Amino acid sequence: NELDKYYFNLRFNYHYIKWIKENLRKVLTMIKGSYVTYAVGGNLAALLQGVNFNRESHDIDVIVSSEEYQELIKAARKNPLVEKVVGSSDIPNQHFGIKIATLHCTIDIICNDNMNINMVEGIWVSSIKDLYESKKRYNRPKDREDLKKLQPLYEMLYNA
């Protein structure tokens, strides 16, 4: 039933949020070899700000500056911790995924020099405005569904 699915996805995604709080910075630092400045985006950023897309997250979206992006992609290609670099691109405003054998998901690194971020529960996250605009830009079927859930909060925050 829909309520069971809703609560399952909520618990599943909060597992990722707990992992992010405890481990993401360590993993990114191990890959790059130094501190990484980032924000979390996508489904998990929305959930932390009160919008549940009611589906499992299969990746962790990490948003970084173009400088961090260039350093991370070079380091990921050489780092033995990284099992696979997926869809890698040296072009700014693109993204690439990092697959690490011990993780059960991909970390998607997204380049964005103009991100607006908020601190929620000790995690820097992409703002509702940035989430809304990226969903409009990607315009995949799941993004169009997500926009319906983001719309009320977006309008309350930015059209008041």
Side-chain angles (χ1 to χ4, degrees):
N1 96 23
E2 280 300 306
L3 194 55
D4 289 339
K5 179 183 173 194
Y6 177 85
Y7 283 113
F8 171 81
N9 288 327
L10 196 59
R11 283 190 305 274
F12 182 88
N13 289 325
Y14 269 105
H15 168 76
Y16 273 118
I17 291 167
K18 182 178 185 300
W19 186 89
I20 287 168
K21 283 177 132 176
E22 295 171 357
N23 301 295
L24 183 58
R25 181 162 313 281
K26 294 175 202 168
V27 169
L28 294 173
T29 299
M30 283 190 304
I31 291 168
K32 182 182 168 195
S34 61
Y35 187 85
V36 177
T37 302
Y38 68 91
V40 173
N43 190 4
L44 299 174
L47 184 62
L48 280 164
Q49 295 174 90
V51 179
N52 185 356
F53 294 148
N54 197 21
R55 67 171 184 272
E56 295 176 21
S57 294
H58 297 288
D59 60 18
I60 298 171
D61 294 333
V62 174
I63 302 160
V64 298
S65 68
S66 54
E67 183 179 329
E68 288 278 19
Y69 181 91
Q70 295 299 323
E71 292 174 17
L72 271 167
I73 197 166
K74 287 175 189 165
R77 288 179 177 146
K78 294 185 246 177
N79 194 306
L81 288 173
V82 177
E83 180 182 340
K84 184 167 41 168
V85 176
V86 183
S88 60
S89 173
D90 291 320
I91 304 166
N93 300 316
Q94 297 294 317
H95 71 278
F96 68 96
I98 297 172
K99 183 68 182 143
I100 299 172
T102 56
L103 298 181
H104 300 292
C105 70
T106 300
I107 299 174
D108 281 342
I109 308 295
I110 301 164
C111 179
N112 183 346
D113 283 317
N114 299 308
M115 69 177 144
N116 298 295
I117 57 175
N118 299 316
M119 174 68 79
V120 181
E121 293 188 33
I123 301 172
W124 288 108
V125 296
S126 182
S127 70
I128 293 296
K129 182 177 185 178
D130 281 6
L131 289 169
Y132 186 84
E133 290 171 357
S134 68
K135 295 289 182 183
K136 279 180 72 172
R137 191 172 47 254
Y138 290 134
N139 199 30
R140 301 167 294 193
K142 70 178 184 176
D143 296 318
R144 291 189 290 275
E145 287 300 311
D146 294 348
L147 279 168
K148 293 174 191 173
K149 294 177 178 141
L150 281 169
Q151 184 85 30
L153 185 55
Y154 176 83
E155 287 180 359
M156 183 181 81
L157 292 172
Y158 302 103
N159 293 338

